Amino acid sequence: MAESNMIEMRPVQHLTTDAIGPAGQRVFYVHAWNEQRTITIIVEKFQLQTLAVGVEQFLAEVNTKFPDLPAASADYDEDQMRINPPVEPLFRAGQIGLGYDADEDLVALELREGVPGEEEASDEGAVARLWCSRSQIRALVNWGLEVASRGRPLCPQCGQPMEPEGHFCQRKNGHKH
């Protein structure tokens, strides 16, 4: 990978995620800043949900390897976690990964440009590596799960999201309710 495609922020002062737009049309973002710059990257809702599971497993592994570390807090202030438009995303994340620097007790959140779910990562795409505390990454995913849950209500019959103008449920033979 060309070094010019790597954006590294070590450490971030603040790391968050949020969604902008009406339910069903929201765009999700990961947003980080420090004194030098601000970085915003588009992510998919399912990527945030998957990241939440991955972070908890990852932090459990870190705690097993380093049992003397203090527990990472998952607390956040909702007002501080919001991002305000306009935002200027650098790219759409195709792959998201985690790393850990034990010497500095920092977690790396790596976001690679591409199509979400695509197996092959392109060497041409940009990569953002955001170094944060264990508490910052836990707060990010806990807030992310909260934001994701605020979307369209789910149909109690089929479990699919319902549109504001109505829902054609397959379990009700397509009847609108």
Side-chain angles (χ1 to χ4, degrees), residues 38-98:
T38 299
I39 294 175
T40 305
I41 298 165
I42 297 172
V43 295
E44 298 295 329
K45 179 179 174 178
F46 79 87
Q47 288 176 307
L48 281 178
Q49 293 165 325
T50 303
L51 179 62
V53 173
V55 163
E56 290 307 320
Q57 292 171 348
F58 182 81
L59 292 178
E61 288 176 26
V62 168
N63 287 337
T64 299
K65 289 180 183 176
F66 306 99
D68 294 335
L69 288 174
S73 170
D75 295 339
Y76 59 84
D77 177 345
E78 185 172 332
D79 291 335
Q80 291 180 354
M81 299 304 279
R82 295 222 170 265
I83 59 175
N84 298 309
V87 295
E88 296 181 25
L90 296 175
F91 59 83
R92 180 178 297 274
Q95 296 180 347
I96 300 175
L98 297 167

Side-chain angles (χ1 to χ4, degrees), residues 100-126:
Y100 184 66
D101 179 338
D103 293 335
E104 293 190 43
D105 189 21
L106 290 175
V107 174
L109 174 61
E110 188 171 282
L111 301 118
R112 292 184 171 271
E113 183 177 19
V115 177
E118 199 173 78
E119 291 292 322
E120 293 292 319
S122 168
D123 286 343
E124 302 300 315

